[in-house]
Amino acid sequence: MEREVLLEVKDLEVTFGERKKKFQAVKKVNFKIYKGETFGLVGESGSGKTTIGRAIMRIVPSAGGEILYKGDKINGTISPVLDQKVIKEIQMIFQDPQASLNERAKVDYIISEGLLNIEKGIREADRKARVEQALLDVGLLPEFSSRFPHEFSGGQRQRIGIARALIMNPEFIIADEPISALDVSIRAQVLNLLSDMQKKRQITYLFIAHDLSVMRFITDRIAVIHKGRIVEMAETEELITHAIHPYTRALLSAIPMPDPRHEREKKLLVYEPEMHDYSVDTPDWVEMRPDHFVLANQKEVGEWKNG
Amino acid sequence: MKQFSYRHTKEAELMDSVEAASKNASSMSEDELFSFAEFNAEDVERTGYSNYSYWRSTFQAFLKNKGAVALLVLLGLLLLFTFIQPYLPGQYDPNMIVNDANGMQYRNVPPGDMFLLGTNSIGQDLWARIWAGTRTSLFIGLSVAVAEALIGITVGVIWGYVRKADFILTEVYNIIDNIPNTIILILISYILKPGVKTLIFAMCLTGWIQMARFIRNQILIIRDRDYNVASRCLGTPTWRIMMKNLLPYLVSVIMLRMALTIPAAIGNEVFITYIGLGLPVDIPSLGNLINEGRALITSPALRYQLVYPTIILSFVTISFYIIGNAFSDAADPKNHV
Amino acid sequence: MPDKNIPEKMLTVEDLEIKFELRGKTLNAIRGISLDLYKGEILAIVGESGSGKSVFTKSFMGLLDQNGKVTAGKVMYYGADDGMPMELTALKREKEWYKIRGHEIAMIMQDPMTSLNPLKTIGVQIMEAVLLHQNLTRAEAKEKTLKYLEDVGISHPERRFYQYPHEFSGGMRQRVVIAIAIACAPQILICDEPTTALDVTIQAQILDLLKALRHKYKLSIILITHDLGVVANIADRVAVMYAGDIVEIGTSEDIFYDPRHPYTWALLSSLPQVGVKGTDLFSIPGTPPNLFSEIKGDAFAPRNSRALKIDFLETPPYFQVSPTHKAKTWLLDPRAPKVEPPPVVEKIRNGGLM
């Protein structure tokens, strides 16, 4: 059965700066996200993963390629009708709960900000009811709507940010490192909330993070991105247990496990970008195992196939 | 299902300590103490609450600065008095030339019973003139501050937030900034009829650009913070982002600048009057009072005509300056400890 | 002759209490902690934000904010050159602290960018530390600086010596910060979340570096972190902090394979590494307690679904689990009902994580 593609990214390129100081953050990136799945994009700082998320949200302009949402091209200039559709159906959750909420506005306004933009004639009573429902949905109390963000802890603020996204009834949510800035014990709360929401509302997620252990828990498929290029993509368990690209393997070996014996005995794999010689033998996107793609040139395909 | 055993001595020991520890527990048996307590998940959510209020803390921090508070009170009283003064009994009109029984003007009368602060060289009551002058100068100062703020903020916010406007406005700024303020002040005062409105106009013309620049810099700092990016993602129109996301952050810095603009404007007025382009003599202001008094600085008997206006001017200027700075310090969250 | 089998103590903390004056109210940041640091060990202090872990170690170097004070207890340092124990909490003036900071106890912090002076070359910054704390000529100091750069894994040290912090990546900058710290030739190195801001691959390298330097320079290291994975990698002993108190302390094996305090269980359970896809991750409800008010009983009780009634009334004492391991929970009292640790503990013990 053919799965419905919700978002497709084709040959996406994003560059910053002009003329001499041009920096290519994203270099010809391709991937598809199917309806209802959680797609993970993992990479380290500077890899371009956040830029991809922002390009899909149209905060950052693309320099080349296409982003297709339900078949419509949404990068570049688009019609006001499509613009409204995108604003409603694609939402973003931000990394830093301290910076992502307007300190001078009440929680009430913060959560319903999107509603006021999209449903311009909404009645006050309706709006209040929806804000209260949104708060309950994320596990907060309705009485919080009259308070200011600084009165809440990091985890609660992040949940307010999620409520802000959920009140719009989105179909697609881009979560940009939603738990990196939270305390360890609070992360679980937010992760549970996100997966609950997915089950209840069939939301599709693009989950951006640098932590593979979190990815393993929450995503269905993962793409690994390094310096603006996707180097490996597969279903989560497949990627973690049969990682092929040396960068992915280095990432996996570096994850700290809460098991002293394991940590003492493990050997750290180090990734050296210089190991690739792409001057003559250019790399291709190769399906090296069923539904498991790797960026490799001919030589590497031969080497890596045998583990 | 409880599984525990204990020795008799230990039991007694523990019972004692438990009993002594809290009175609540005295009603509970040991079994109960070691049984599971009720767990209320909802109550737990409430524990993250802190009741820090930015403005309340700013207010409290300001109150700690006794000097500034004292000055604020005195300044407030002064302001009040400038309004009340004309309605008090026995006040002279500031422009009226007071004649004695023989029709002679009471010129240069030193401070005494009849004239509290004396008269000036043409027979006008100095006390009335000083208060009238203070009224005028304060009016000018406040008007300039408010007008400058309104224009400066509007331009500054657009300059900082709307990327396309940045280039043009920066060029405009560079041009205007290079023209010395004093020349503009002098030119305007010379071209237009001297009066309060002219002065306010001239000072606004030179002052708004600095306020705009300052606001623009502040906007640049907060423009791309996540919460503004979030608002853009949600489709919030630019004007609402300015009103609800940006301006509230700038309130304290705006108030500081306004507090410092007032003494600057009063000072400018004094300067313009000094060079002869200020208000006409029939509109008393601190500027022309000081100007008139300046000529008499060499004669000790008449020096009072300079001293009193100067005292008031100094007091007003220094007070605004100190209060403005104290407020700025209080508004800084780092000092809310 | 000191007995080699009995570990030497470098630092002891006895019933330390630290309070802060905040907006007219008193914050009880540290509520009576006792702790020993042994020579050559790596002791990890694990806790979340608000647990007081940073405040705790800042008091060893006299770096508490103006409004903070040690109100009870003391910290004793045994590593001074002359062999005399020093009471660190008795030091009052900045001048007295100069002998301790750097030369005896050095600290590295989370953000390498703000720890380094952007206007000076890194070579100069390391040399400054050398010249300040070691009696050497400029030429000798430069030699040493180059050696330190090599020790921390910076290649081409002669060239890098003249570069500025902005020319280094995050991980390299943290290495420079570590170089400055060891250039002071300290006895104790306090690392406050040294790898939190770094990518996971760089983090692993920095942790390896710290382990190597501990042996080479005979350091005793206190590592502050919220990441249990980091702790498992590097720590010999672990102290778990919650709301200004140490609730459990033991060797790394004790804490990971036989944890006893409900908070430790909760921390371990909520790790994504132990989660099972498709089921909810265990999460600790609520937030840490308000330290402005007096805490009655066990601070973790309100968030513990398996709390006993006595947890709300009386603070538990330490119960000794083994000679190396103790925990502050009424569950260890013989009269308490038997509570099984969550399944995750069994999973970790049997190596079933990967």
Side-chain angles (χ1 to χ4, degrees):
Chain A
M1 199 186 87
E2 201 47 45
R3 294 171 70 183
E4 185 191 333
V5 174
L6 194 66
L7 187 93
E8 185 172 356
V9 173
K10 280 181 167 175
D11 287 334
L12 181 68
E13 280 179 25
V14 181
T15 43
F16 291 114
E18 356 197 288
R19 282 155 287 176
K20 274 208 185 135
K21 286 189 273 177
K22 239 187 201 172
F23 169 63
Q24 238 193 343
V26 178
K27 301 171 188 150
K28 283 213 166 31
V29 158
N30 284 283
F31 60 87
K32 294 193 185 117
I33 301 181
Y34 298 106
K35 190 166 159 68
E37 78 170 340
T38 302
F39 185 83
L41 190 58
V42 69
E44 301 191 300
S45 43
S47 56
K49 57 190 193 301
T50 301
T51 312
I52 292 177
R54 295 193 165 205
I56 299 174
M57 281 305 288
R58 305 178 52 239
I59 304 171
V60 151
S62 56
E66 292 183 321
I67 301 173
L68 302 169
Y69 175 69
K70 289 184 177 172
D72 294 319
K73 177 166 174 301
I74 60 171
N75 57 330
T77 356
I78 59 175
S79 73
V81 169
L82 187 56
D83 189 41
Q84 289 283 6
K85 181 177 174 196
V86 167
I87 287 176
K88 180 182 182 309
E89 293 182 20
I90 305 183
Q91 291 298 320
M92 190 161 194
I93 300 172
F94 294 84
Q95 175 177 357
D96 186 356
Q98 302 298 326
S100 61
L101 303 180
N102 183 354
E103 298 277 338
R104 301 280 191 265
K106 287 198 179 149
V107 167
D108 191 30
Y109 173 74
I110 292 172
I111 293 183
S112 55
E113 190 174 349
L115 276 188
L116 293 170
N117 298 332
I118 294 293
E119 296 181 30
K120 294 199 170 73
I122 188 170
R123 281 197 335 241
E124 180 59 18
D126 281 340
R127 187 192 65 86
K128 272 185 92 75
R130 286 177 67 172
V131 168
E132 286 187 5
Q133 185 56 46
L135 280 168
L136 284 169
D137 284 341
V138 299
L140 293 173
L141 305 169
E143 67 204 48
F144 290 173
S145 63
S146 58
R147 301 208 190 134
F148 288 88
H150 63 246
E151 302 181 39
F152 298 100
S153 66
Q156 289 170 323
R157 292 169 74 131
Q158 195 65 313
R159 283 190 274 165
I160 293 173
I162 295 174
R164 172 172 63 186
L166 288 178
I167 201 174
M168 306 284 277
N169 280 323
E171 295 196 32
F172 181 53
I173 291 186
I174 302 175
D176 188 356
E177 306 235 36
I179 59 173
S180 316
L182 299 176
D183 262 336
V184 171
S185 64
I186 310 293
R187 289 182 190 182
Q189 281 177 27
V190 174
L191 281 179
N192 288 340
L193 175 62
L194 289 175
S195 67
D196 263 352
M197 285 297 114
Q198 181 170 54
K199 287 191 206 117
K200 284 207 185 105
R201 303 184 183 206
Q202 282 90 50
I203 302 177
T204 310
Y205 283 114
L206 169 61
F207 198 92
I208 301 173
H210 62 262
D211 189 344
L212 260 176
S213 47
V214 171
M215 293 295 220
R216 184 181 198 178
F217 175 70
I218 197 172
T219 57
D220 301 313
R221 285 194 306 138
I222 298 183
V224 180
I225 183 167
H226 176 67
K227 294 259 190 313
R229 288 186 133 141
I230 298 193
V231 299
E232 190 160 2
M233 181 160 79
E235 272 185 29
T236 304
E237 274 312 301
E238 166 69 19
L239 188 109
I240 303 235
T241 45
H242 295 102
I244 300 175
H245 196 280
Y247 178 64
T248 315
R249 303 182 69 176
L251 269 186
L252 280 170
S253 89
I255 299 176
M257 291 302 241
D259 182 346
R261 248 173 288 154
H262 176 269
E263 286 294 301
R264 289 208 185 122
E265 288 157 19
K266 85 170 175 195
K267 275 216 91 40
L268 190 66
L269 291 172
V270 182
Y271 175 66
E272 260 131 51
E274 299 84 37
M275 64 176 289
H276 303 296
D277 181 8
Y278 290 150
S279 48
V280 177
D281 192 0
T282 50
D284 264 323
W285 191 236
V286 179
E287 185 170 1
M288 291 189 61
R289 282 169 64 100
D291 255 344
H292 184 159
F293 298 84
V294 186
L295 185 74
N297 61 13
Q298 292 279 36
K299 179 160 163 280
E300 287 164 342
V301 171
E303 277 172 14
W304 298 344
K305 212 159 196 138
N306 307 321
Chain B
M1 193 172 65
K2 287 171 254 172
Q3 304 158 348
F4 50 84
S5 62
Y6 47 85
R7 280 180 230 129
H8 182 73
T9 46
K10 192 162 186 201
E11 175 194 28
E13 226 184 346
L14 284 160
M15 286 298 270
D16 284 345
S17 68
V18 159
E19 207 117 290
S22 63
K23 296 170 190 70
N24 298 7
S26 61
S27 58
M28 283 195 243
S29 69
E30 202 178 78
D31 285 358
E32 243 197 284
L33 278 173
F34 282 91
S35 62
F36 292 110
E38 255 176 62
F39 180 67
N40 188 333
E42 235 189 52
D43 278 346
V44 164
E45 275 308 328
R46 292 202 174 87
T47 58
Y49 177 56
S50 96
N51 64 347
Y52 167 72
S53 155
Y54 175 70
W55 286 112
R56 183 148 39 103
S57 296
T58 302
F59 190 59
Q60 282 171 343
F62 183 77
L63 286 179
K64 284 209 191 102
N65 188 337
K66 300 283 193 301
V69 175
L71 282 176
L72 185 65
V73 169
L74 285 173
L75 194 63
L77 289 173
L78 186 102
L79 197 65
L80 198 63
F81 192 75
T82 63
F83 285 110
I84 298 177
Q85 182 263 334
Y87 301 106
L88 292 176
Q91 300 295 313
Y92 294 97
D93 177 272
N95 285 323
M96 185 177 78
I97 297 174
V98 187
N99 295 330
D100 65 9
N102 301 331
M104 284 286 287
Q105 297 107 336
Y106 275 109
R107 291 189 191 182
N108 293 328
V109 174
D113 290 329
M114 197 172 168
F115 303 103
L116 272 172
L117 292 180
T119 59
N120 65 5
S121 52
I122 55 174
Q124 295 162 321
D125 175 29
L126 210 52
W127 166 268
R129 281 185 77 76
I130 285 179
W131 291 113
T134 308
R135 265 200 304 279
T136 312
S137 294
L138 278 174
F139 176 72
I140 293 175
L142 279 162
S143 307
V144 171
V146 170
E148 224 181 72
L150 286 173
I151 305 172
I153 292 171
T154 315
V155 175
V157 168
I158 297 174
W159 188 2
Y161 193 76
V162 181
R163 286 253 152 85
K164 297 186 192 107
D166 189 34
F167 180 69
I168 300 173
L169 285 170
T170 311
E171 293 305 308
V172 168
Y173 172 82
N174 286 335
I175 295 172
I176 294 183
D177 194 43
N178 278 319
I179 306 174
N181 283 353
T182 30
I183 293 188
I184 297 184
L185 279 176
I186 294 172
L187 272 175
I188 306 268
S189 309
Y190 186 70
I191 295 171
L192 300 173
K193 210 162 49 114
V196 171
K197 290 207 189 73
T198 312
L199 268 182
I200 295 179
F201 176 68
M203 284 191 238
C204 286
L205 210 59
T206 52
W208 72 270
I209 193 91
Q210 286 305 328
M211 176 65 114
R213 168 87 191 250
F214 178 73
I215 298 288
R216 174 241 188 197
N217 289 345
Q218 295 294 313
I219 299 274
L220 281 182
I221 293 172
I222 58 177
R223 188 189 185 282
D224 288 317
R225 291 219 174 129
D226 276 352
Y227 77 97
N228 288 320
V229 175
S231 289
R232 288 201 281 275
C233 287
L234 290 167
T236 310
T238 308
W239 69 266
R240 188 133 54 85
I241 293 184
M242 289 181 187
M243 293 298 292
K244 293 213 76 138
N245 291 29
L246 303 175
L247 280 181
Y249 270 82
L250 304 177
V251 170
S252 56
V253 293
I254 291 173
M255 283 178 73
L256 170 68
R257 281 196 72 95
M258 282 174 72
L260 297 182
T261 303
I262 296 172
I266 298 178
N268 273 331
E269 185 261 317
V270 172
F271 164 72
I272 292 286
T273 310
Y274 191 85
I275 59 173
L277 292 169
L279 294 170
V281 181
D282 62 339
I283 308 176
S285 74
L286 288 174
N288 51 29
L289 286 176
I290 290 176
N291 201 26
E292 291 163 13
R294 172 184 56 85
L296 305 169
I297 196 170
T298 42
S299 34
L302 299 174
R303 231 174 252 158
Y304 67 89
Q305 295 184 27
L306 176 64
V307 166
Y308 295 122
T310 309
I311 291 176
I312 300 280
L313 174 70
S314 309
F315 174 71
V316 168
T317 310
I318 294 174
S319 299
F320 270 113
Y321 183 75
I322 291 181
I323 294 169
N325 272 299
F327 179 76
S328 164
D329 283 343
D332 183 356
K334 293 194 201 81
N335 293 332
H336 289 174
V337 174
Chain C
M1 261 292 279
D3 186 343
K4 282 226 166 86
N5 289 327
I6 301 177
E8 199 186 312
K9 286 191 192 169
M10 286 303 284
L11 192 82
T12 55
V13 179
E14 289 164 41
D15 296 318
L16 189 68
E17 279 179 31
I18 300 179
K19 296 198 206 284
F20 284 83
E21 287 300 316
L22 209 60
R23 299 193 275 271
K25 292 185 280 194
T26 308
L27 182 80
N28 304 312
I30 303 290
R31 303 180 298 122
I33 296 186
S34 299
L35 182 68
D36 295 327
L37 176 71
Y38 296 102
K39 191 165 164 71
E41 72 165 347
I42 299 183
L43 169 70
I45 300 183
V46 188
E48 304 173 283
S49 43
S51 57
K53 51 195 198 299
S54 292
V55 165
F56 182 50
T57 50
K58 278 190 181 159
S59 67
F60 303 164
M61 295 177 69
L63 292 175
L64 286 179
D65 288 340
Q66 278 282 54
N67 57 340
K69 257 194 295 290
V70 173
T71 51
K74 56 184 183 179
V75 178
M76 300 295 297
Y77 173 65
Y78 296 102
D81 291 338
D82 55 8
M84 300 290 294
M86 280 180 84
E87 189 177 333
L88 296 179
T89 34
L91 299 181
K92 293 270 182 307
R93 286 171 295 137
E94 281 294 292
K95 274 188 84 176
E96 293 171 317
W97 281 108
Y98 289 166
K99 288 177 284 173
I100 299 286
R101 291 181 195 151
H103 185 56
E104 308 287 348
I105 308 181
M107 190 184 245
I108 64 175
M109 286 175 269
Q110 182 175 339
D111 187 0
M113 198 55 215
T114 49
S115 305
L116 294 173
N117 185 339
L119 301 175
K120 292 189 183 172
T121 61
I122 57 118
V124 161
Q125 295 188 52
I126 301 176
M127 247 176 81
E128 277 178 353
V130 177
L131 288 169
L132 195 59
H133 296 287
Q134 300 179 41
N135 242 334
L136 299 170
T137 65
R138 284 194 79 85
E140 289 170 334
K142 177 148 187 218
E143 277 289 316
K144 270 239 150 145
T145 302
L146 292 173
K147 186 169 84 76
Y148 287 132
L149 281 173
E150 244 186 83
D151 279 343
V152 297
I154 292 180
S155 51
H156 309 294
E158 330 73 36
R159 191 163 37 102
R160 298 292 230 171
F161 183 94
Y162 296 104
Q163 289 184 335
Y164 288 88
H166 67 258
E167 299 180 70
F168 288 75
S169 68
M172 299 296 265
R173 278 186 224 138
Q174 196 64 306
R175 290 177 198 258
V176 171
V177 169
I178 295 174
I180 296 177
I182 55 173
C184 304
Q187 302 273 16
I188 299 178
L189 182 66
I190 301 177
C191 305
D192 192 344
E193 308 249 26
T195 57
T196 306
L198 303 174
D199 284 328
V200 72
T201 47
I202 310 293
Q203 170 176 281
Q205 294 171 26
I206 298 287
L207 292 177
D208 277 350
L209 174 65
L210 286 173
K211 283 187 274 193
L213 291 175
R214 176 256 299 251
H215 288 303
K216 180 153 191 196
Y217 290 95
K218 311 267 186 294
L219 299 169
S220 315
I221 299 182
I222 300 179
L223 179 82
I224 301 168
T225 179
H226 64 264
D227 187 338
L228 282 169
V230 165
V231 173
N233 183 303
I234 193 175
D236 298 319
R237 285 197 310 140
V238 182
V240 180
M241 260 186 91
Y242 185 77
D245 200 359
I246 292 183
V247 296
E248 187 164 4
I249 184 166
T251 65
S252 210
E253 279 82 7
D254 289 334
I255 298 294
F256 284 98
Y257 300 135
D258 189 22
R260 296 305 184 107
H261 194 282
Y263 179 62
T264 317
W265 292 342
L267 273 185
L268 287 170
S269 309
S270 61
L271 292 173
Q273 287 97 319
V274 309
V276 175
K277 184 109 175 263
T279 61
D280 267 2
L281 256 188
F282 175 84
S283 79
I284 316 180
T287 41
N290 187 339
L291 293 174
F292 282 105
S293 38
E294 275 298 314
I295 294 179
K296 206 157 178 233
D298 186 344
F300 186 60
R303 304 170 73 191
N304 182 5
S305 58
R306 310 282 280 152
L308 304 174
K309 293 207 176 73
I310 192 172
D311 281 321
F312 291 91
L313 299 169
E314 211 184 313
T315 311
Y318 279 115
F319 289 94
Q320 203 80 26
V321 178
S322 79
T324 52
H325 183 189
K326 61 185 183 186
K328 249 189 186 184
T329 169
W330 282 116
L331 289 178
L332 287 173
D333 187 302
R335 293 166 294 166
K338 193 148 164 52
V339 174
E340 286 296 325
V344 70
V345 173
E346 189 70 29
K347 198 172 173 190
I348 296 177
R349 200 182 302 155
N350 297 336
L353 278 184
M354 275 312 275

